[in-house]
Amino acid sequence: MEDPRRLFLHLLLAGQLCLSSTQVLRIGGIFETRESELVSMDELAFKFAVNNINRNKSLMPNTTLTYDIQRINLFDGFEASRRVCDQLALGVVAVFGPSHSSSVSAVQSICNALEVPHIQTRWKHPSVDNKDTFFINLYPEYTAIARAILDVVTFFKWRKLTVVYEDGTGLMRLQELIKAPAKFNLKIKIRQLTPGNQDARPLLKELKKDKEFFILFDCSYRMASELLKQLSSMGMMTEYYHFFFTTLDLFALDLEPFRYSGVNMTGFRLLNVDDPRVASTMDKWATERMQGPKQESGLVDGIMTTDAALMYDAVFMVAVASQRATQMTVSSLQCHRHKPWRFGPRFMNLFKEAQWDGLTGHIVLNKTDGLRRDFDLDIISLKEDGTSRVIVEGGSPLTKRWIKIAVWNSYRGMNLTEKSKRENNNNVTDSLANRTLIVTTILENPYVMQRKSDKELIGNDRFEGYCLDLLKELSNILGFTYEVRLVGDGKYGAQNDKGEWNGMVRELIDHVADLAVAPLTITYVREKVIDFSKPFMTLGISILYRKPNGTNPGVFSFLNPLSPDIWMYVLLACTGVSCVLFVIARFTPYEWYNPHQCNPSSTLIQNNFTLLNSFWFGVGALMRQGSELMPKALSTRIVGGIWWFFTLIIISSYTANLAAFLTVERMDAPIDSADDLAKQTRIEYGAVRDGSTMTFFKKSKISTYEKMWAFMSSRKNTALVKNNREGITRVLTTDYAMLMESTSIEYISQRNCNLTQIGGLIDSKGYGVGTPIGSPYRDKVTIAILQLQEEGKLHMMKEKWWRGNGCPEEDNKEASALGVENIGGIFIVLAAGLVLSVFVAIGEFIYKARKNADIEECVTFSSRMEELGMSLQCYKGIRRRSRPHGEARTACVLCQSKRTAKREGSRRDSSP
């Protein structure tokens, strides 16, 4: 009896093992189909996951996973309800799909009633009452996505953003960003794509006109593919635009046509492509897809979308949860009976507790609402190069077009990748290599000039100059090619009363040109509408005027080394010192002496420093000749020493300046500074119309410059010129002063010796390379300019183009012989002094004769002439005195009446 029982037990155990090894688990899938595709991507991923699980028994060794697939039309909620009831009647542990909201709600209500897990992989706004207890969604939770979008916007430091959304759900996803302006000083414009119309070109044209360069698109990947084509046709796929797409499938789009456009494009990626296991799975998927029906256009061939990856992970999550469910049976459920699945709540809890490292990263569900709140997003940016890993042999590179710049976690926020940090430190040539830039410029010597040649020149060969050499050096450093174009209106760029710009600035604002390489001045008003590199040349505003005519030294030019005031002060000082010396010499007892040395008892004393002698002492010291008078007292010696020191400095200074004033022609300029210009109206002055110099005077608040601008603005037709060439012609031909940059004046004066710079610099500024606002080239050009500056190439280029034949410098002139016109005045002074001395001598002679007449009774003319003759005939300096009174002769000519009067007077006195 025991053997049959043992046999029965063995057979029963074998039957149970057989039943356990062949256990079948069914899942249901409801998928919507489009007219453009035979089979949806979700359905393909669903089948691909089931097949992989069944092939690899490591996850479900004793269970075979089967599926039931139902296809419905879009937005058909009734059909979805009927199909889910059919699947529940077959007995399924979970229902997948559909994707659109109207059908999802119908299926979800049935699953909630029968307590069967309903699994979603698309974005769905959660219900307000939170009664979807059997709802699971592997798509990242929408509020976390909204935070990720805001973090990316703040990471790029955008201050102005345009949001373009496709449908109303986009506003829900973007609510965190929409609330951001109050916190982050962000200006946001919100626009909606026309529903049901894929032609967005009218809207894009409007955005381009409004110069909206930072645009966020919230749309599906299908719409994103169409938008990219339309952006390209509108000419907006340039480096000045930055597009941010919120779709998680941006990486799957075929962007090869836009790869070299230079456009900045950023997006999210949920797939963990860096994981080798994920990459292997995607390679298998691509192999099957390449052999199957062709995918919809716009996607990279063989690529797995995010929705497909989420579906794949959702199937694997069911497998993981079922492995933990023991003794679970699946029963047939009827929708009309409302009898729930008794293992439904248990299986739902196991599903929420399950964790899996899937294609979309580590999957952890919230146990309360079944949503995926903890996840990582790769922040990816479109690049021209990258790691070239091929999906399949002969296939397209997967990661070649995208570079991961950061990883965003729903709890930890954004974290830059090491690769992104290295990308920021790469050589400046990385993003400019092999690009052709449009360069706008203006004809201005010596910056840009027409090249002279016998042959017909084309392209950049038509021009030469400092700016062309600078462009060539920048091109060698950064690796770009360029096309030089002259600005259409021939202007630098200024703002009119309506706020509109012209010239090169306008072309940069309109993105007609990429760079403006010209003598374009960096100003405050221009910096608000365009960007500038660091200056490649520093300068300032000065005055260009005709060189004043030279005046030869005059006859009395020997007086020029000292100003008239100094000459007057010297004479006053000489007179004052002479008077002080006279008073002190009279006051001190040591300047008085006994004139009779042989008679010590004489009571007479004498002082040599009379008023005339004191003046003579001062004049002798001033002329560096001295005198026979020497001070004896300490006080008078102090006065004499100080006067000698004073005359030493004065005569030395006079001698030092005398040669220059006698040999150099003096320039008599009518103006010496901007103040002189402002104070007069005879000389007309102005600047280039709509240039930075004109703008400087127009915006200046300094009274002198305001007065000058009032003068120029009142004579706009004559004071303001079209360009520098016209202004130079006016300076040479009329009485006109040109206000322009000092570097241009330096160049012009080197080649035209009739022109010169008047005064110093009015301001200080620099020339820079102009770029549109937000241009990625600005920083790279700046680094290249700094490199050229450190290497000394900027200085060498300036020396090359500024050096001319040169004009003769006054300082280099050889000393010329002095003529009568230089020092003839000295001879005039000498002659005048001689004549004066003759007249003074005659006066002294007459004075002495009259004085002697008071003493002598009779002074005859013949005696005076005899005395004069004896003085002239005496060579030894010794002569006899005049004869005494009694020897006077009878022939009295002089004083006859006086002698008679005296005699009559004496007779009356002697009479009794």
Side-chain angles (χ1 to χ4, degrees), residues 45-110:
F46 183 78
K47 294 177 179 179
F48 181 66
V50 172
N51 293 333
N52 281 352
I53 292 173
N54 291 331
R55 278 198 298 262
N56 186 4
K57 291 296 183 179
S58 60
L59 186 60
M60 300 178 65
N62 301 320
T63 305
T64 299
L65 192 63
T66 62
Y67 55 80
D68 179 75
I69 293 178
Q70 301 290 333
R71 297 188 181 95
I72 63 172
N73 296 322
L74 288 173
F75 312 112
D76 194 344
F78 177 78
E79 182 67 16
S81 301
R82 191 172 66 84
R83 295 299 178 89
V84 73
C85 289
D86 293 342
Q87 289 184 342
L88 292 174
L90 293 176
V92 294
V93 296
V95 176
F96 293 80
S99 58
H100 288 277
S101 57
S102 58
S103 302
V104 169
S105 301
V107 173
Q108 182 61 49
S109 61
I110 295 174

Side-chain angles (χ1 to χ4, degrees), residues 231-456:
L231 287 168
S232 180
S233 65
M234 294 291 297
M236 299 174 67
M237 297 294 284
T238 67
E239 58 272 19
Y240 304 109
Y241 289 89
H242 197 148
F243 303 130
F244 179 23
F245 289 87
T246 60
T247 174
L248 300 182
D249 288 318
L250 184 64
F251 75 98
L253 298 181
D254 184 11
L255 300 179
E256 188 65 23
F258 322 115
R259 179 182 168 199
Y260 296 102
S261 63
V263 67
N264 302 287
M265 198 179 303
T266 304
F268 293 133
R269 183 176 62 197
L270 188 61
L271 272 71
N272 186 16
V273 297
D274 297 329
D275 189 341
R277 186 178 56 84
V278 175
S280 176
T281 302
M282 296 180 71
D283 287 344
K284 295 178 182 177
W285 166 270
T287 303
E288 292 187 8
R289 297 286 68 76
M290 297 294 287
Q291 297 173 355
K294 183 176 176 58
Q295 292 182 188
E296 57 183 303
S297 61
L299 294 176
V300 176
D301 292 339
I303 196 71
M304 176 181 275
T305 63
T306 301
D307 292 336
L310 287 171
M311 182 62 70
Y312 182 90
D313 288 343
V315 174
F316 269 80
M317 285 289 288
V318 171
V320 172
S322 63
Q323 281 299 103
R324 300 179 58 191
T326 59
Q327 299 179 354
M328 183 184 69
T329 59
V330 181
S331 58
S332 176
L333 301 176
Q334 304 297 326
C335 293
H336 58 280
R337 292 185 179 179
H338 299 288
K339 182 179 180 181
W341 181 32
R342 63 189 185 93
F343 291 102
R346 178 186 172 191
F347 186 70
M348 187 66 185
N349 291 331
L350 291 174
F351 198 105
K352 291 179 179 180
E353 293 174 357
Q355 297 186 17
W356 175 250
D357 290 324
L359 303 181
T360 59
H362 187 68
I363 301 174
V364 179
L365 299 176
N366 186 279
K367 297 179 181 179
T368 303
D369 53 17
L371 300 179
R372 187 177 179 181
R373 298 182 180 274
D374 187 5
F375 58 92
D376 291 336
L377 283 177
D378 291 342
I379 312 298
I380 56 176
S381 180
L382 184 65
K383 297 292 181 181
E384 293 180 4
D385 52 4
T387 57
S388 56
R389 183 183 62 79
V390 179
I391 301 176
V392 292
E393 185 176 356
S396 300
L398 174 63
T399 60
K400 187 173 183 179
R401 302 169 185 82
W402 295 102
I403 296 296
K404 181 167 68 173
I405 62 175
V407 176
W408 187 89
N409 181 267
S410 54
Y411 292 109
R412 296 184 296 273
M414 185 176 294
N415 182 29
L416 288 178
T417 62
E418 290 298 325
K419 187 173 183 179
S420 173
K421 296 176 182 177
R422 291 195 301 270
E423 287 286 331
N424 293 334
N425 297 327
N426 278 350
N427 194 293
V428 296
T429 64
D430 289 346
S431 64
L432 278 175
N434 301 321
R435 291 192 186 280
T436 299
L437 306 183
I438 303 300
V439 179
T440 181
T441 188
I442 190 171
L443 289 176
E444 188 68 61
N445 297 341
Y447 302 96
V448 180
M449 302 177 289
Q450 294 279 3
R451 188 189 298 272
K452 297 179 181 179
S453 176
D454 297 334
K455 301 178 181 179
E456 183 180 358

Side-chain angles (χ1 to χ4, degrees), residues 628-768:
E628 73 279 4
L629 300 174
M630 287 296 145
K632 297 182 180 65
L634 178 62
S635 57
T636 54
R637 287 181 176 179
I638 290 174
V639 174
I642 292 298
W643 176 243
W644 290 340
F645 177 76
F646 173 81
T647 57
L648 173 66
I649 300 301
I650 290 295
I651 297 302
S652 299
S653 302
Y654 174 83
T655 305
N657 287 339
L658 183 61
F661 276 87
L662 292 180
T663 58
V664 178
E665 293 183 354
R666 310 303 300 169
M667 298 299 178
D668 187 15
I671 53 173
D672 291 323
S673 63
D675 291 331
D676 294 343
L677 274 181
K679 293 176 183 176
Q680 57 83 47
T681 57
R682 182 180 63 84
I683 301 175
E684 194 173 26
Y685 53 89
V688 174
R689 185 178 286 106
D690 295 334
S692 61
T693 303
M694 187 202 79
T695 305
F696 168 79
F697 286 97
K698 185 177 181 180
K699 301 292 184 181
S700 179
K701 300 300 180 182
I702 301 175
S703 58
T704 300
Y705 304 149
E706 286 182 331
K707 186 177 180 181
M708 294 176 69
W709 170 245
F711 176 85
M712 288 186 281
S713 60
S714 65
R715 306 185 182 187
K716 282 187 177 181
N717 295 331
T718 57
L720 300 179
V721 296
K722 184 178 180 181
N723 49 45
N724 284 343
R725 291 187 297 278
E726 180 183 340
I728 294 168
T729 303
R730 288 200 58 189
V731 172
L732 289 171
T733 56
T734 63
D735 201 7
Y736 180 80
M738 178 78 173
L739 295 160
M740 60 191 306
E741 282 79 5
S742 58
T743 51
S744 299
I745 294 177
E746 181 183 353
Y747 173 81
I748 294 166
S749 59
Q750 281 285 325
R751 285 154 179 81
N752 194 326
C753 298
N754 295 323
L755 299 176
T756 187
Q757 177 176 324
I758 301 296
L761 301 182
I762 296 176
D763 69 342
S764 179
K765 52 192 174 184
Y767 290 152

